[in-house]
PDB file of all heavy atoms in Angstrom:
ATOM      1  N   LEU G  16     -26.545 -68.893  12.714  1.00  0.00           N
ATOM      2  CA  LEU G  16     -25.372 -69.745  12.944  1.00  0.00           C
ATOM      3  C   LEU G  16     -25.781 -71.075  13.569  1.00  0.00           C
ATOM      4  O   LEU G  16     -25.231 -72.122  13.216  1.00  0.00           O
ATOM      5  CB  LEU G  16     -24.342 -69.017  13.812  1.00  0.00           C
ATOM      6  CG  LEU G  16     -23.608 -67.894  13.092  1.00  0.00           C
ATOM      7  CD1 LEU G  16     -22.830 -67.028  14.081  1.00  0.00           C
ATOM      8  CD2 LEU G  16     -22.680 -68.445  12.019  1.00  0.00           C
ATOM      9  N   HIS G  17     -26.773 -71.063  14.448  1.00  0.00           N
ATOM     10  CA  HIS G  17     -27.289 -72.330  15.002  1.00  0.00           C
ATOM     11  C   HIS G  17     -27.891 -73.174  13.879  1.00  0.00           C
ATOM     12  O   HIS G  17     -27.714 -74.398  13.845  1.00  0.00           O
ATOM     13  CB  HIS G  17     -28.332 -72.075  16.083  1.00  0.00           C
ATOM     14  CG  HIS G  17     -27.749 -71.811  17.422  1.00  0.00           C
ATOM     15  ND1 HIS G  17     -27.121 -72.782  18.175  1.00  0.00           N
ATOM     16  CD2 HIS G  17     -27.701 -70.678  18.160  1.00  0.00           C
ATOM     17  CE1 HIS G  17     -26.705 -72.261  19.308  1.00  0.00           C
ATOM     18  NE2 HIS G  17     -27.037 -70.975  19.325  1.00  0.00           N
ATOM     19  N   LEU G  18     -28.604 -72.520  12.956  1.00  0.00           N
ATOM     20  CA  LEU G  18     -29.157 -73.245  11.815  1.00  0.00           C
ATOM     21  C   LEU G  18     -28.042 -73.853  10.975  1.00  0.00           C
ATOM     22  O   LEU G  18     -28.107 -75.023  10.592  1.00  0.00           O
ATOM     23  CB  LEU G  18     -30.020 -72.303  10.964  1.00  0.00           C
ATOM     24  CG  LEU G  18     -30.607 -72.891   9.685  1.00  0.00           C
ATOM     25  CD1 LEU G  18     -31.540 -74.059   9.995  1.00  0.00           C
ATOM     26  CD2 LEU G  18     -31.324 -71.807   8.887  1.00  0.00           C
ATOM     27  N   ALA G  19     -27.001 -73.081  10.712  1.00  0.00           N
ATOM     28  CA  ALA G  19     -25.878 -73.584   9.917  1.00  0.00           C
ATOM     29  C   ALA G  19     -25.220 -74.787  10.590  1.00  0.00           C
ATOM     30  O   ALA G  19     -24.908 -75.781   9.936  1.00  0.00           O
ATOM     31  CB  ALA G  19     -24.856 -72.474   9.692  1.00  0.00           C
ATOM     32  N   VAL G  20     -25.027 -74.706  11.896  1.00  0.00           N
ATOM     33  CA  VAL G  20     -24.433 -75.830  12.630  1.00  0.00           C
ATOM     34  C   VAL G  20     -25.341 -77.050  12.529  1.00  0.00           C
ATOM     35  O   VAL G  20     -24.884 -78.169  12.273  1.00  0.00           O
ATOM     36  CB  VAL G  20     -24.171 -75.443  14.106  1.00  0.00           C
ATOM     37  CG1 VAL G  20     -23.836 -76.664  14.941  1.00  0.00           C
ATOM     38  CG2 VAL G  20     -23.065 -74.399  14.194  1.00  0.00           C
ATOM     39  N   SER G  21     -26.641 -76.852  12.709  1.00  0.00           N
ATOM     40  CA  SER G  21     -27.592 -77.971  12.656  1.00  0.00           C
ATOM     41  C   SER G  21     -27.606 -78.631  11.280  1.00  0.00           C
ATOM     42  O   SER G  21     -27.693 -79.854  11.173  1.00  0.00           O
ATOM     43  CB  SER G  21     -28.994 -77.491  13.010  1.00  0.00           C
ATOM     44  OG  SER G  21     -29.049 -77.057  14.342  1.00  0.00           O
ATOM     45  N   LEU G  22     -27.531 -77.819  10.232  1.00  0.00           N
ATOM     46  CA  LEU G  22     -27.579 -78.368   8.881  1.00  0.00           C
ATOM     47  C   LEU G  22     -26.257 -78.975   8.444  1.00  0.00           C
ATOM     48  O   LEU G  22     -26.209 -79.778   7.510  1.00  0.00           O
ATOM     49  CB  LEU G  22     -27.999 -77.276   7.889  1.00  0.00           C
ATOM     50  CG  LEU G  22     -29.446 -76.819   7.994  1.00  0.00           C
ATOM     51  CD1 LEU G  22     -29.687 -75.611   7.106  1.00  0.00           C
ATOM     52  CD2 LEU G  22     -30.396 -77.954   7.645  1.00  0.00           C
ATOM     53  N   THR G  23     -25.175 -78.615   9.099  1.00  0.00           N
ATOM     54  CA  THR G  23     -23.857 -79.109   8.725  1.00  0.00           C
ATOM     55  C   THR G  23     -23.534 -80.440   9.384  1.00  0.00           C
ATOM     56  O   THR G  23     -22.752 -81.233   8.870  1.00  0.00           O
ATOM     57  CB  THR G  23     -22.785 -78.049   9.071  1.00  0.00           C
ATOM     58  OG1 THR G  23     -23.125 -76.840   8.390  1.00  0.00           O
ATOM     59  CG2 THR G  23     -21.401 -78.468   8.655  1.00  0.00           C
ATOM     60  N   ARG G  24     -24.150 -80.701  10.512  1.00  0.00           N
ATOM     61  CA  ARG G  24     -23.915 -81.985  11.200  1.00  0.00           C
ATOM     62  C   ARG G  24     -24.429 -83.144  10.363  1.00  0.00           C
ATOM     63  O   ARG G  24     -25.310 -82.996   9.539  1.00  0.00           O
ATOM     64  CB  ARG G  24     -24.625 -81.977  12.549  1.00  0.00           C
ATOM     65  CG  ARG G  24     -23.966 -81.082  13.548  1.00  0.00           C
ATOM     66  CD  ARG G  24     -24.495 -81.368  14.945  1.00  0.00           C
ATOM     67  NE  ARG G  24     -23.731 -80.585  15.894  1.00  0.00           N
ATOM     68  CZ  ARG G  24     -24.259 -79.705  16.728  1.00  0.00           C
ATOM     69  NH1 ARG G  24     -25.555 -79.516  16.750  1.00  0.00           N
ATOM     70  NH2 ARG G  24     -23.494 -79.031  17.552  1.00  0.00           N
ATOM     71  N   THR G  25     -23.875 -84.312  10.636  1.00  0.00           N
ATOM     72  CA  THR G  25     -24.339 -85.531   9.986  1.00  0.00           C
ATOM     73  C   THR G  25     -24.817 -86.491  11.056  1.00  0.00           C
ATOM     74  O   THR G  25     -24.026 -86.848  11.922  1.00  0.00           O
ATOM     75  CB  THR G  25     -23.201 -86.176   9.166  1.00  0.00           C
ATOM     76  OG1 THR G  25     -22.744 -85.214   8.210  1.00  0.00           O
ATOM     77  CG2 THR G  25     -23.665 -87.418   8.469  1.00  0.00           C
ATOM     78  N   PRO G  26     -26.070 -86.883  11.068  1.00  0.00           N
ATOM     79  CA  PRO G  26     -27.117 -86.414  10.164  1.00  0.00           C
ATOM     80  C   PRO G  26     -27.576 -85.006  10.548  1.00  0.00           C
ATOM     81  O   PRO G  26     -27.489 -84.616  11.715  1.00  0.00           O
ATOM     82  CB  PRO G  26     -28.235 -87.429  10.364  1.00  0.00           C
ATOM     83  CG  PRO G  26     -28.063 -87.914  11.765  1.00  0.00           C
ATOM     84  CD  PRO G  26     -26.577 -87.869  12.027  1.00  0.00           C
ATOM     85  N   SER G  27     -28.050 -84.269   9.561  1.00  0.00           N
ATOM     86  CA  SER G  27     -28.532 -82.918   9.838  1.00  0.00           C
ATOM     87  C   SER G  27     -29.904 -82.989  10.488  1.00  0.00           C
ATOM     88  O   SER G  27     -30.693 -83.887  10.204  1.00  0.00           O
ATOM     89  CB  SER G  27     -28.591 -82.097   8.551  1.00  0.00           C
ATOM     90  OG  SER G  27     -29.486 -82.679   7.636  1.00  0.00           O
ATOM     91  N   ASP G  28     -30.158 -82.053  11.381  1.00  0.00           N
ATOM     92  CA  ASP G  28     -31.444 -82.027  12.078  1.00  0.00           C
ATOM     93  C   ASP G  28     -31.671 -80.619  12.615  1.00  0.00           C
ATOM     94  O   ASP G  28     -30.815 -80.073  13.307  1.00  0.00           O
ATOM     95  CB  ASP G  28     -31.453 -83.038  13.229  1.00  0.00           C
ATOM     96  CG  ASP G  28     -32.787 -83.055  13.945  1.00  0.00           C
ATOM     97  OD1 ASP G  28     -33.831 -82.991  13.266  1.00  0.00           O
ATOM     98  OD2 ASP G  28     -32.787 -83.111  15.181  1.00  0.00           O
ATOM     99  N   VAL G  29     -32.802 -80.050  12.283  1.00  0.00           N
ATOM    100  CA  VAL G  29     -33.200 -78.756  12.832  1.00  0.00           C
ATOM    101  C   VAL G  29     -34.344 -79.036  13.795  1.00  0.00           C
ATOM    102  O   VAL G  29     -35.439 -79.420  13.382  1.00  0.00           O
ATOM    103  CB  VAL G  29     -33.640 -77.781  11.719  1.00  0.00           C
ATOM    104  CG1 VAL G  29     -34.091 -76.457  12.309  1.00  0.00           C
ATOM    105  CG2 VAL G  29     -32.513 -77.578  10.726  1.00  0.00           C
ATOM    106  N   CYS G  30     -34.061 -78.869  15.087  1.00  0.00           N
ATOM    107  CA  CYS G  30     -35.070 -79.192  16.091  1.00  0.00           C
ATOM    108  C   CYS G  30     -36.240 -78.193  16.028  1.00  0.00           C
ATOM    109  O   CYS G  30     -36.099 -77.075  15.512  1.00  0.00           O
ATOM    110  CB  CYS G  30     -34.452 -79.216  17.490  1.00  0.00           C
ATOM    111  SG  CYS G  30     -33.922 -77.599  18.100  1.00  0.00           S
ATOM    112  N   ASP G  31     -37.380 -78.615  16.547  1.00  0.00           N
ATOM    113  CA  ASP G  31     -38.585 -77.782  16.524  1.00  0.00           C
ATOM    114  C   ASP G  31     -38.376 -76.453  17.241  1.00  0.00           C
ATOM    115  O   ASP G  31     -38.896 -75.423  16.807  1.00  0.00           O
ATOM    116  CB  ASP G  31     -39.759 -78.533  17.161  1.00  0.00           C
ATOM    117  CG  ASP G  31     -40.200 -79.725  16.325  1.00  0.00           C
ATOM    118  OD1 ASP G  31     -39.892 -79.745  15.110  1.00  0.00           O
ATOM    119  OD2 ASP G  31     -40.843 -80.623  16.883  1.00  0.00           O
ATOM    120  N   GLU G  32     -37.630 -76.465  18.335  1.00  0.00           N
ATOM    121  CA  GLU G  32     -37.389 -75.242  19.091  1.00  0.00           C
ATOM    122  C   GLU G  32     -36.624 -74.210  18.251  1.00  0.00           C
ATOM    123  O   GLU G  32     -36.999 -73.035  18.199  1.00  0.00           O
ATOM    124  CB  GLU G  32     -36.617 -75.553  20.370  1.00  0.00           C
ATOM    125  CG  GLU G  32     -36.360 -74.339  21.226  1.00  0.00           C
ATOM    126  CD  GLU G  32     -35.557 -74.671  22.473  1.00  0.00           C
ATOM    127  OE1 GLU G  32     -35.343 -75.857  22.785  1.00  0.00           O
ATOM    128  OE2 GLU G  32     -35.140 -73.714  23.136  1.00  0.00           O
ATOM    129  N   LEU G  33     -35.564 -74.648  17.590  1.00  0.00           N
ATOM    130  CA  LEU G  33     -34.788 -73.741  16.745  1.00  0.00           C
ATOM    131  C   LEU G  33     -35.644 -73.238  15.588  1.00  0.00           C
ATOM    132  O   LEU G  33     -35.667 -72.039  15.289  1.00  0.00           O
ATOM    133  CB  LEU G  33     -33.527 -74.426  16.211  1.00  0.00           C
ATOM    134  CG  LEU G  33     -32.694 -73.625  15.211  1.00  0.00           C
ATOM    135  CD1 LEU G  33     -32.251 -72.288  15.793  1.00  0.00           C
ATOM    136  CD2 LEU G  33     -31.494 -74.444  14.748  1.00  0.00           C
ATOM    137  N   TYR G  34     -36.376 -74.129  14.952  1.00  0.00           N
ATOM    138  CA  TYR G  34     -37.221 -73.726  13.835  1.00  0.00           C
ATOM    139  C   TYR G  34     -38.273 -72.713  14.290  1.00  0.00           C
ATOM    140  O   TYR G  34     -38.534 -71.718  13.593  1.00  0.00           O
ATOM    141  CB  TYR G  34     -37.894 -74.949  13.206  1.00  0.00           C
ATOM    142  CG  TYR G  34     -38.700 -74.599  11.986  1.00  0.00           C
ATOM    143  CD1 TYR G  34     -38.075 -74.268  10.794  1.00  0.00           C
ATOM    144  CD2 TYR G  34     -40.089 -74.582  12.027  1.00  0.00           C
ATOM    145  CE1 TYR G  34     -38.810 -73.933   9.667  1.00  0.00           C
ATOM    146  CE2 TYR G  34     -40.833 -74.248  10.912  1.00  0.00           C
ATOM    147  CZ  TYR G  34     -40.188 -73.922   9.746  1.00  0.00           C
ATOM    148  OH  TYR G  34     -40.919 -73.574   8.633  1.00  0.00           O
ATOM    149  N   GLY G  35     -38.840 -72.923  15.465  1.00  0.00           N
ATOM    150  CA  GLY G  35     -39.824 -71.979  16.004  1.00  0.00           C
ATOM    151  C   GLY G  35     -39.238 -70.597  16.231  1.00  0.00           C
ATOM    152  O   GLY G  35     -39.871 -69.581  15.922  1.00  0.00           O
ATOM    153  N   GLU G  36     -38.017 -70.551  16.767  1.00  0.00           N
ATOM    154  CA  GLU G  36     -37.345 -69.264  16.993  1.00  0.00           C
ATOM    155  C   GLU G  36     -37.019 -68.583  15.667  1.00  0.00           C
ATOM    156  O   GLU G  36     -37.149 -67.363  15.528  1.00  0.00           O
ATOM    157  CB  GLU G  36     -36.074 -69.451  17.817  1.00  0.00           C
ATOM    158  CG  GLU G  36     -36.337 -69.785  19.278  1.00  0.00           C
ATOM    159  CD  GLU G  36     -37.127 -68.694  19.990  1.00  0.00           C
ATOM    160  OE1 GLU G  36     -36.791 -67.498  19.827  1.00  0.00           O
ATOM    161  OE2 GLU G  36     -38.094 -69.033  20.686  1.00  0.00           O
ATOM    162  N   LEU G  37     -36.587 -69.357  14.689  1.00  0.00           N
ATOM    163  CA  LEU G  37     -36.301 -68.801  13.365  1.00  0.00           C
ATOM    164  C   LEU G  37     -37.569 -68.231  12.733  1.00  0.00           C
ATOM    165  O   LEU G  37     -37.540 -67.143  12.148  1.00  0.00           O
ATOM    166  CB  LEU G  37     -35.699 -69.878  12.462  1.00  0.00           C
ATOM    167  CG  LEU G  37     -34.265 -70.287  12.775  1.00  0.00           C
ATOM    168  CD1 LEU G  37     -33.936 -71.633  12.147  1.00  0.00           C
ATOM    169  CD2 LEU G  37     -33.284 -69.225  12.307  1.00  0.00           C
ATOM    170  N   ARG G  38     -38.697 -68.934  12.878  1.00  0.00           N
ATOM    171  CA  ARG G  38     -39.971 -68.469  12.308  1.00  0.00           C
ATOM    172  C   ARG G  38     -40.455 -67.175  12.953  1.00  0.00           C
ATOM    173  O   ARG G  38     -41.141 -66.386  12.319  1.00  0.00           O
ATOM    174  CB  ARG G  38     -41.060 -69.533  12.473  1.00  0.00           C
ATOM    175  CG  ARG G  38     -40.963 -70.733  11.573  1.00  0.00           C
ATOM    176  CD  ARG G  38     -41.031 -70.383  10.093  1.00  0.00           C
ATOM    177  NE  ARG G  38     -42.156 -69.561   9.740  1.00  0.00           N
ATOM    178  CZ  ARG G  38     -43.177 -69.929   8.995  1.00  0.00           C
ATOM    179  NH1 ARG G  38     -43.222 -71.148   8.536  1.00  0.00           N
ATOM    180  NH2 ARG G  38     -44.136 -69.095   8.698  1.00  0.00           N
ATOM    181  N   LYS G  39     -40.085 -66.953  14.206  1.00  0.00           N
ATOM    182  CA  LYS G  39     -40.472 -65.712  14.884  1.00  0.00           C
ATOM    183  C   LYS G  39     -39.733 -64.500  14.307  1.00  0.00           C
ATOM    184  O   LYS G  39     -40.242 -63.387  14.344  1.00  0.00           O
ATOM    185  CB  LYS G  39     -40.165 -65.792  16.381  1.00  0.00           C
ATOM    186  CG  LYS G  39     -41.061 -66.718  17.152  1.00  0.00           C
ATOM    187  CD  LYS G  39     -40.626 -66.744  18.607  1.00  0.00           C
ATOM    188  CE  LYS G  39     -41.390 -67.791  19.391  1.00  0.00           C
ATOM    189  NZ  LYS G  39     -40.897 -67.901  20.780  1.00  0.00           N
ATOM    190  N   ARG G  40     -38.539 -64.707  13.799  1.00  0.00           N
ATOM    191  CA  ARG G  40     -37.681 -63.594  13.369  1.00  0.00           C
ATOM    192  C   ARG G  40     -37.533 -63.454  11.861  1.00  0.00           C
ATOM    193  O   ARG G  40     -37.125 -62.412  11.382  1.00  0.00           O
ATOM    194  CB  ARG G  40     -36.300 -63.751  13.981  1.00  0.00           C
ATOM    195  CG  ARG G  40     -36.393 -63.884  15.476  1.00  0.00           C
ATOM    196  CD  ARG G  40     -35.314 -63.195  16.139  1.00  0.00           C
ATOM    197  NE  ARG G  40     -35.419 -63.464  17.576  1.00  0.00           N
ATOM    198  CZ  ARG G  40     -34.780 -62.813  18.458  1.00  0.00           C
ATOM    199  NH1 ARG G  40     -33.978 -61.849  18.096  1.00  0.00           N
ATOM    200  NH2 ARG G  40     -34.915 -63.093  19.730  1.00  0.00           N
ATOM    201  N   PHE G  41     -37.818 -64.530  11.114  1.00  0.00           N
ATOM    202  CA  PHE G  41     -37.609 -64.497   9.671  1.00  0.00           C
ATOM    203  C   PHE G  41     -38.872 -64.956   8.946  1.00  0.00           C
ATOM    204  O   PHE G  41     -39.570 -65.853   9.415  1.00  0.00           O
ATOM    205  CB  PHE G  41     -36.445 -65.411   9.264  1.00  0.00           C
ATOM    206  CG  PHE G  41     -35.125 -65.015   9.853  1.00  0.00           C
ATOM    207  CD1 PHE G  41     -34.638 -65.647  10.994  1.00  0.00           C
ATOM    208  CD2 PHE G  41     -34.362 -64.007   9.281  1.00  0.00           C
ATOM    209  CE1 PHE G  41     -33.425 -65.277  11.548  1.00  0.00           C
ATOM    210  CE2 PHE G  41     -33.148 -63.626   9.831  1.00  0.00           C
ATOM    211  CZ  PHE G  41     -32.672 -64.262  10.960  1.00  0.00           C
ATOM    212  N   SER G  42     -39.109 -64.382   7.791  1.00  0.00           N
ATOM    213  CA  SER G  42     -40.234 -64.813   6.957  1.00  0.00           C
ATOM    214  C   SER G  42     -39.912 -66.184   6.364  1.00  0.00           C
ATOM    215  O   SER G  42     -38.752 -66.618   6.350  1.00  0.00           O
ATOM    216  CB  SER G  42     -40.465 -63.808   5.829  1.00  0.00           C
ATOM    217  OG  SER G  42     -39.370 -63.838   4.919  1.00  0.00           O
ATOM    218  N   GLU G  43     -40.940 -66.835   5.842  1.00  0.00           N
ATOM    219  CA  GLU G  43     -40.728 -68.132   5.203  1.00  0.00           C
ATOM    220  C   GLU G  43     -39.788 -67.980   4.011  1.00  0.00           C
ATOM    221  O   GLU G  43     -38.898 -68.808   3.796  1.00  0.00           O
ATOM    222  CB  GLU G  43     -42.061 -68.727   4.750  1.00  0.00           C
ATOM    223  CG  GLU G  43     -41.929 -70.118   4.178  1.00  0.00           C
ATOM    224  CD  GLU G  43     -43.265 -70.766   3.890  1.00  0.00           C
ATOM    225  OE1 GLU G  43     -44.312 -70.171   4.201  1.00  0.00           O
ATOM    226  OE2 GLU G  43     -43.248 -71.881   3.343  1.00  0.00           O
ATOM    227  N   ARG G  44     -39.944 -66.908   3.270  1.00  0.00           N
ATOM    228  CA  ARG G  44     -39.083 -66.644   2.120  1.00  0.00           C
ATOM    229  C   ARG G  44     -37.618 -66.494   2.547  1.00  0.00           C
ATOM    230  O   ARG G  44     -36.715 -67.042   1.915  1.00  0.00           O
ATOM    231  CB  ARG G  44     -39.566 -65.386   1.414  1.00  0.00           C
ATOM    232  CG  ARG G  44     -38.830 -65.072   0.169  1.00  0.00           C
ATOM    233  CD  ARG G  44     -39.396 -63.829  -0.490  1.00  0.00           C
ATOM    234  NE  ARG G  44     -38.812 -63.666  -1.786  1.00  0.00           N
ATOM    235  CZ  ARG G  44     -39.424 -63.180  -2.826  1.00  0.00           C
ATOM    236  NH1 ARG G  44     -40.669 -62.784  -2.715  1.00  0.00           N
ATOM    237  NH2 ARG G  44     -38.798 -63.072  -3.973  1.00  0.00           N
ATOM    238  N   ALA G  45     -37.386 -65.757   3.632  1.00  0.00           N
ATOM    239  CA  ALA G  45     -36.021 -65.567   4.134  1.00  0.00           C
ATOM    240  C   ALA G  45     -35.439 -66.895   4.610  1.00  0.00           C
ATOM    241  O   ALA G  45     -34.255 -67.176   4.381  1.00  0.00           O
ATOM    242  CB  ALA G  45     -36.002 -64.535   5.252  1.00  0.00           C
TER     243      ALA G  45
END
């Protein structure tokens, strides 16, 4: 949901911290 919020904002931006947390829990494919 944090990813969805980040991608929905204008301009969209996924910060390094969020991306790092996502990479810990999800595969690159996911």
Side-chain angles (χ1 to χ4, degrees):
L16 288 168
H17 277 290
L18 177 62
V20 168
S21 295
L22 290 172
T23 303
R24 288 194 174 122
T25 302
S27 61
D28 181 41
V29 178
C30 68
D31 292 339
E32 181 182 350
L33 175 57
Y34 184 73
E36 288 300 314
L37 288 161
R38 286 300 308 247
K39 289 178 187 175
R40 306 218 184 194
F41 298 98
S42 68
E43 185 173 356
R44 184 178 189 146

